[in-house]
Amino acid sequence: MSPTYDVIVIGLGGMGSAAAHHLSARGARVLGLERYGPVHRRGSSHGGSRITRQSYFEDPAYVPLLLRAYELYETLERDTGRDIATLCGGLMAGRPDSRTVAGSLLSARTWDLPHEILDAKEIRRRFPTLTPEDDEVALHETRAGFLRPENTVAAHLQLATRAGADLHFEEPLLRWEPYRDGVRVHTAEDTYTAGQLVVCPGAWAPRLLADLGVPFGIERQVMYWFQPDGGTGPFRPDNHPIWIWETADGVQSYGFPALDGPDQGVKVAFFRKGTVCTPDTIERTVHEHEVAAMGSHVARHAPALPGRFLKAATCMYSNTPDEHFVIARHPAHPASVTVACGFSGHGFKFVPVVGEILADLALTGTTAHPIELFDPHRLSTIHAPGVRP
């Protein structure tokens, strides 16, 4: 049997890579297991960019975690020399009573975050690429921007390796079970033991955490890149914010500045509005009617789009019924197992602070961070102990 570790981390995407880094940085003997290669495109932590923002319409309770995440992203950039975060500003747009605008304003006021409310005329003046309806407004946040997901994962893996973590790729989990005072983990390659297990399964949560009793829903999402009419100049990050836009019927879409040169276009997508899938059944092909629907929608907000379609890519959301995360000690195995899952399409901006929380929970059993909102008991339908093979 392989040497005993202090902590085994299952899944080395966004959350798992951050957990491996923070655990190993504290001196823990860490084994990380990933079913695919490093920084892969089969899950959720890819696509070149992810929005980050602090005026959080989902719930003001997230803001303290975001403030810490921003600090940790700065440290991550400094410690690795990688391009991680760009704060180009952001617009949360829609009608004043929309969740996107009203919820963002609530968080901004609750936590005294710098912000402005722009009416439609002012939006058009400051950002000529955008064309709001006359009754639409936007919360403008200068501390919003975008993250590089691939660079973030690579940076956390780099630091975890530097601190002595053993990271095994192309080695999927077969099963795990309680063992003595900890856990035993079986893969196709070997069997490992550890005092603690941290499970960051992403879209594989229904399979790996069935005994958690949380009704996860896995959703296929599509990201699109379009070349604007007239070129990407007006959409560069020094001229253009990220945006999240909610229409009168409640549909949210989002977009980014033009990144990585004039030929890479502008990335846009719907927020939610995906189709049910599993990691095994997800349709990776993006169809013409999907491109047309996205193009028609985004043209309402940015007439230079869709312009010319460049490419598309799929990823997966792992949704909980209330769209809040699950971060906790496993209720059935509270002495030895910690879980982080159900990030519901808005988790990536929290990656470094989730890694810090997971290290706290695995090594001490508690954390000073406010995670009460993420207790799985709020959703669980199963409370009896059990282990999913």
Side-chain angles (χ1 to χ4, degrees):
M1 183 177 295
S2 295
T4 299
Y5 293 90
D6 295 320
V7 187
I8 296 174
V9 179
I10 303 298
L12 293 174
M15 305 307 174
S17 65
H21 158 51
H22 283 281
L23 285 161
S24 57
R26 298 185 194 185
R29 294 169 295 168
V30 176
L31 170 65
L33 296 171
E34 168 58 52
R35 67 173 51 239
Y36 299 114
V39 199
H40 63 82
R41 299 185 177 186
R42 304 294 295 275
S44 303
S45 300
H46 61 281
S49 57
R50 289 289 185 276
I51 285 176
T52 190
R53 52 195 165 91
Q54 295 180 350
S55 300
Y56 216 61
F57 63 76
E58 286 84 351
D59 196 301
Y62 286 90
V63 175
L65 299 178
L66 287 162
L67 297 177
R68 178 57 177 159
Y70 272 51
E71 294 174 347
L72 291 170
Y73 275 121
E74 289 182 7
T75 301
L76 190 63
E77 286 188 316
R78 183 178 64 247
D79 290 348
T80 64
R82 294 178 184 267
D83 177 15
I84 302 291
T86 300
L87 302 183
C88 59
L91 293 178
M92 275 42 84
R95 292 184 175 178
D97 61 351
S98 66
R99 182 190 185 199
T100 303
V101 175
S104 298
L105 184 59
L106 176 61
S107 282
R109 288 175 171 171
T110 300
W111 293 99
D112 195 25
L113 302 173
H115 67 282
E116 297 177 87
I117 297 295
L118 310 181
D119 61 18
K121 182 178 179 180
E122 185 64 8
I123 296 169
R124 297 186 200 109
R125 187 186 72 82
R126 292 199 198 182
F127 307 107
T129 58
L130 302 178
T131 54
E133 300 289 338
D134 289 341
D135 62 350
E136 291 181 319
V137 300
L139 182 143
H140 181 242
E141 178 190 334
T142 58
R143 294 283 290 167
F146 60 89
L147 304 167
R148 300 285 196 168
E150 290 89 347
N151 285 1
T152 302
V153 175
H156 280 132
L157 295 176
Q158 174 185 336
L159 293 180
T161 301
R162 184 186 300 173
D166 291 336
L167 305 181
H168 295 190
F169 298 96
E170 306 290 347
E171 189 172 345
L173 173 72
L174 297 180
R175 67 185 188 278
W176 65 269
E177 69 243 353
Y179 179 74
R180 296 179 181 172
D181 294 329
V183 295
R184 182 161 55 189
V185 171
H186 303 271
T187 73
E189 304 298 326
D190 211 335
T191 297
Y192 309 93
T193 60
Q196 295 290 321
L197 181 67
V198 173
V199 186
C200 302
W204 288 262
R207 182 185 307 169
L208 298 182
L209 292 174
D211 61 333
L212 196 61
V214 174
F216 298 105
I218 309 305
E219 197 173 88
R220 171 185 178 268
Q221 298 290 334
V222 182
M223 303 169 281
Y224 305 83
W225 286 259
F226 294 99
Q227 180 73 320
D229 291 335
T232 56
F235 288 86
R236 290 194 310 267
D238 53 350
N239 297 323
H240 210 281
I242 61 93
W243 76 89
I244 301 174
W245 213 300
E246 183 174 343
T247 53
D249 57 0
V251 174
Q252 290 173 303
S253 60
Y254 62 92
F256 295 83
L259 311 180
D260 303 324
D263 297 327
Q264 299 305 307
V266 172
K267 176 183 168 184
V268 295
F270 289 111
F271 186 47
R272 312 206 184 282
K273 204 179 178 184
T275 55
V276 175
C277 70
T278 72
D280 297 323
T281 64
I282 181 173
E283 172 63 79
R284 297 288 181 181
T285 300
V286 177
H287 301 282
E288 289 185 7
H289 69 88
E290 296 177 294
V291 176
M294 184 77 255
S296 176
H297 184 88
V298 75
R300 300 163 64 179
H301 311 312
L305 298 172
R308 179 168 58 89
F309 172 65
L310 297 176
K311 62 179 180 178
T314 59
C315 68
M316 289 178 282
Y317 286 2
S318 305
N319 299 321
T320 62
D322 61 6
E323 299 175 3
H324 295 309
F325 309 158
V326 173
I327 307 173
R329 286 289 207 165
H330 195 308
H333 311 281
S336 58
V337 182
T338 302
V339 299
C341 49
F343 288 95
S344 303
H346 62 109
F348 195 88
K349 60 187 71 65
F350 298 89
V351 156
V353 71
V354 170
E356 191 170 64
I357 291 167
L358 294 175
D360 290 343
L361 294 175
L363 297 179
T364 72
T366 188
T367 182
H369 289 294
I371 62 169
E372 294 80 8
L373 182 61
F374 311 137
D375 189 330
H377 282 106
R378 75 187 194 276
L379 302 168
S380 183
T381 59
I382 301 173
H383 301 288
V387 178
R388 174 73 169 178

